[in-house]
Amino acid sequence: MKPIDLRSDTVTRPGPEMRRVMAQAEVGDDVFGDDPTVNSLEELASAMLGKEAGLFLPSGTQSNLCALLTHCGRGDEYIVGQQAHTYIYEGGGGAALGGIQPQPLDLETDGTLDLGKVEKLVKPDDFHFARTRLLCLENTTNGRVLPRDYGEQARAFVDRHGLRLHLDGARIFNAAVKSGQSAAGIAAPFDTVSICLSKGLGAPVGSILTGGADFIHEARRWRKVVGGGMRQSGLLAAAGIYALENHLERLADDHANAARLAAGLAAFEGCEIDPGTVQTNMIYVGFPPDRLETFIAHLADNGILVYHSNPLRLVTHLDVSSEDVDRFLSVVAGFLAA
Ligand SMILES: *Cc1c(COP(=O)(O)O)cnc(C)c1O
């Protein structure tokens, strides 16, 4: 029985074609700047996002960290969603390594920050306060695509306040495929954008930070400082190129599978989910708390892995087929009928 892993879209395994291009990749020493495959990936990704330059990093966390370290100095501040990855899931790296103070506030249900609320948090020029430098957004956030004109509104806002604008675009291509906008269109209002290659795109490792040439030059220095300078990393970059060239359009399949999963679950008594809220490859379903443990154990007995939370977050990806969705639903039906 093939396992079905719905914990995250990070769990995908490279397929035979991806492994073949990795094995055949031309490499050099990227710290010396002469790994041709890494250079190609950085050029490809930055062109796709409409930015001057790109930087290949081992993880999205390091990509966002290097963005923070480049945008902000010691005693500076960035404004960020309380539930955003760059605030809550990155180990406080900006504070730990950069002396950068986060100013979090709650995200609205559509994943935006209310710019009226943000305005009250921008600090005046007075030595009592940290210097507010940066506004940090995320798209998609919890599987939701930011409203189409929100990036432009945020741009006008930061311009008014002399701030810079970073996008954690770990899943920007899910947002692009869902909304019909280009990734470059979504990225345009932002000074800098990070993307993940190892989520829905299916590469084993990697993130790209994109932005202006001078910014990326400085970020490259920070990548070295935090230990992210890699050597023959063309082996990994080759997988990233393959993913960008072959795995974008198919994200629509993940979205269709998530919608199918949500519609199936909504039909069951005891599952709390509004399929209308599902936009991309992530769904959240509430489950009776007293049956959650036995439910998760029942799934595991049937070769199905889910991340332990309530509501349960289920994520579709390259290694989840529509048949897998149907098998999952029949296992759930079996549990609920028992
Ligand atoms: C996964 C993710 C990241 C980066 O995480 P890594 O595991 O370090 O690659 C950043 N932002 C968001 C929204 C993510 O989902």
Side-chain angles (χ1 to χ4, degrees):
M1 186 172 53
K2 172 185 166 259
I4 303 173
D5 194 339
L6 298 169
R7 288 174 300 170
S8 176
D9 47 8
T10 56
V11 300
T12 56
R13 315 276 162 92
E17 260 312 287
M18 184 179 276
R19 287 170 188 260
R20 192 183 61 75
V21 299
M22 292 173 76
Q24 292 176 355
E26 229 188 293
V27 296
D29 186 325
D30 181 53
V31 173
F32 293 124
D34 62 16
D35 186 307
T37 309
V38 173
N39 293 340
S40 298
L41 172 62
E42 291 177 347
E43 278 164 31
L44 173 66
S46 53
M48 288 172 82
L49 291 165
K51 301 295 182 209
E52 276 175 3
L55 181 66
F56 181 47
L57 300 105
S59 70
T61 296
Q62 194 179 81
S63 200
N64 287 325
L65 174 63
C66 287
L68 280 180
L69 290 168
T70 308
H71 280 299
C72 303
R74 191 168 168 220
D76 288 349
E77 175 182 85
Y78 70 112
I79 299 179
V80 60
Q82 186 89 47
Q83 299 81 11
H85 203 281
T86 43
Y87 173 63
I88 198 167
Y89 295 122
E90 297 186 1
L97 303 174
I100 303 162
Q101 162 168 294
Q103 167 63 71
L105 78 160
D106 280 331
L107 291 174
E108 305 301 313
T109 46
D110 64 358
T112 61
L113 289 171
D114 178 331
L115 296 172
K117 294 179 187 166
V118 174
E119 184 147 39
K120 298 197 175 80
L121 297 170
V122 176
K123 310 299 181 287
D125 181 10
D126 171 330
F127 60 48
H128 289 86
F129 302 109
R131 289 192 181 102
T132 311
R133 291 283 190 214
L134 179 70
L135 178 61
C136 199
L137 301 173
E138 187 175 307
N139 198 6
T140 62
T141 176
N142 295 327
R144 298 187 68 111
V145 182
L146 291 184
R148 187 176 277 264
D149 53 356
Y150 181 71
E152 287 302 339
Q153 291 168 21
R155 178 77 250 165
F157 175 87
V158 297
D159 285 345
R160 258 197 327 277
H161 292 279
L163 311 179
R164 275 178 288 179
L165 190 59
H166 174 69
L167 181 67
D168 175 354
R171 296 186 179 84
I172 193 172
F173 293 106
N174 294 86
V177 165
K178 175 64 190 181
S179 66
Q181 294 171 278
S182 66
I186 296 173
F190 295 86
D191 295 295
T192 53
V193 179
S194 62
I195 66 168
C196 277
L197 301 166
S198 63
K199 299 270 167 84
L201 298 185
V205 171
S207 166
I208 313 277
L209 178 62
T210 65
D214 291 345
F215 182 93
I216 293 300
H217 180 74
E218 191 62 18
R220 198 174 290 279
R221 177 183 173 77
W222 280 116
R223 182 186 66 170
K224 184 68 180 151
V225 172
V226 299
M230 300 180 285
R231 302 294 180 174
Q232 285 72 45
S233 39
L235 294 174
L236 301 171
I241 293 172
Y242 183 86
L244 287 173
E245 288 178 344
N246 295 281
H247 289 167
L248 295 190
E249 281 92 45
R250 63 150 309 286
L251 291 171
D253 301 344
D254 298 343
H255 302 170
N257 282 332
R260 185 185 182 90
L261 194 55
L265 289 171
F268 296 138
E269 193 80 39
C271 290
E272 241 179 87
I273 181 166
D274 174 2
T277 60
V278 176
Q279 296 187 355
T280 61
N281 68 330
M282 247 174 234
I283 76 165
Y284 292 84
V285 54
F287 208 77
D290 54 321
R291 298 190 73 191
L292 189 66
E293 291 294 332
T294 45
F295 178 58
I296 290 174
H298 178 78
L299 293 177
D301 289 344
N302 285 276
I304 298 169
L305 292 167
V306 297
Y307 198 76
H308 198 144
S309 62
N310 202 7
L312 273 178
R313 187 188 79 160
L314 307 173
V315 188
T316 57
H317 51 75
L318 195 52
D319 294 346
V320 175
S321 64
S322 59
E323 293 76 30
D324 292 337
V325 169
D326 293 343
R327 185 161 82 78
F328 174 83
L329 290 171
S330 72
V331 169
V332 177
F335 176 81
L336 291 171

